[in-house]
């Protein structure tokens, strides 16, 4: 196993000590409103990195096995990823209470951002679920998947195909 580069851009970003490729740090992204979250397409890969290249952002980080091990064992990064999750949940009209995720009081208002047929946010949700699971936050991935299952049953705009990508057993 190669030596972990603790100065890696993605680790520094997740620790809240560095910036993404556009000079934004986590604290700035956490303060962004729904319009930014909907219309910007290159922040989600930094907040929820994966060990595979993004098909939509060539500048997105790709986690190494060593970085994943570090992320899984670093409390600060885990807390920051949960705060990033809270930002995205708020955008979707959901909220986290401990390890449970449920619809928030603003769900009806916020669902217009993402709960439509073939919405690009379904790809973001897939990334969030994969990243949470990959980075050791399985309980939160399962809680998110559970509330998504309830929403899927109620809103037929989410296709069976889209929902199948969220199946954590298959990830």
């Amino acid at each position: 196993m190669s030596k972990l580069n603790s100065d890696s851009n993605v680790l520094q970003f997740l620790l809240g000590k560095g910036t993404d490729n556009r000079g934004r740090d986590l604290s700035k992204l956490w303060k962004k409103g729904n319009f930014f979250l909907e219309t910007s397409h290159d922040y989600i890969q930094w907040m929820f990195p994966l060990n595979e290249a993004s098909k939509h952002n060539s500048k997105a980080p790709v986690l190494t096995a060593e970085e994943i091990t570090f992320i899984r064992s670093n409390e600060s990064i885990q807390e920051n990823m949960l705060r990033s999750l809270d930002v995205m949940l708020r955008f979707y009209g959901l909220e986290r209470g401990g390890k449970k995720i449920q619809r928030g009081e603003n769900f009806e208002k916020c669902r217009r951002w993402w709960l439509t047929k073939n919405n690009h946010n379904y790809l973001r949700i897939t990334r969030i679920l994969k990243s949470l699971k990959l980075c050791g936050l399985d309980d939160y991935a399962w809680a998110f998947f559970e509330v998504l299952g309830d929403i899927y049953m109620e809103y037929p705009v989410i296709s069976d195909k889209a929902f199948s990508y969220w199946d954590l057993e298959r990830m």
Side-chain angles (χ1 to χ4, degrees):
M1 187 177 340
S2 62
K3 184 179 183 302
L4 174 68
N5 179 3
S6 60
D7 290 332
S8 82
N9 289 343
V10 68
L11 292 180
Q12 290 301 305
F13 176 81
L14 292 170
L15 284 165
K17 298 178 181 179
T19 60
D20 66 8
N21 62 301
R22 298 202 51 204
R24 300 171 297 203
D25 63 34
L26 266 175
S27 64
K28 286 182 180 149
L29 291 174
W30 290 334
K31 294 174 185 169
K32 297 291 187 180
N34 284 354
F35 183 78
F36 172 87
L37 297 175
E38 172 59 19
T39 60
S40 297
H41 301 283
D42 61 352
Y43 66 90
I44 199 78
Q45 298 91 352
W46 284 85
M47 291 171 80
F48 298 97
L50 296 175
N51 59 347
E52 57 194 60
S54 170
K55 295 177 185 171
H56 306 285
N57 180 358
S58 63
K59 304 221 188 263
V62 178
L63 294 176
T64 65
E66 293 82 9
E67 288 169 331
I68 293 166
T69 299
F70 183 81
I71 289 168
R72 288 174 148 264
S73 67
N74 187 282
E75 192 174 320
S76 293
I77 290 178
Q78 298 278 295
E79 289 173 9
N80 285 345
M81 288 189 74
L82 289 176
R83 184 150 180 208
S84 293
L85 176 61
D86 290 340
V87 168
M88 295 310 298
L89 291 175
R90 183 187 72 232
F91 172 75
Y92 298 131
L94 305 172
E95 60 188 21
R96 179 174 62 92
K99 291 185 178 180
K100 181 161 177 50
I101 295 173
Q102 60 195 19
R103 295 180 200 194
E105 61 184 48
N106 62 348
F107 176 77
E108 288 302 319
K109 178 182 171 189
C110 293
R111 72 182 177 93
R112 68 184 169 95
W113 291 107
W114 68 280
L115 202 47
T116 61
K117 189 174 182 176
N118 300 320
N119 193 287
H120 68 102
N121 279 288
Y122 300 161
L123 295 173
R124 290 178 176 170
I125 290 169
T126 303
R127 171 173 281 276
I128 293 167
L129 289 167
K130 281 184 175 183
S131 182
L132 291 172
K133 188 173 178 188
L134 181 70
C135 294
L137 295 164
D138 302 57
D139 290 345
Y140 301 95
W142 281 105
F144 192 16
F145 178 69
E146 186 177 311
V147 74
L148 288 168
D150 292 341
I151 293 167
Y152 164 73
M153 296 302 287
E154 187 175 337
Y155 294 91
V157 296
I158 301 174
S159 70
D160 294 342
K161 183 177 180 180
F163 188 73
S164 74
Y165 285 115
W166 301 341
D167 184 353
L168 294 172
E169 293 288 341
R170 298 176 58 208
M171 287 185 184

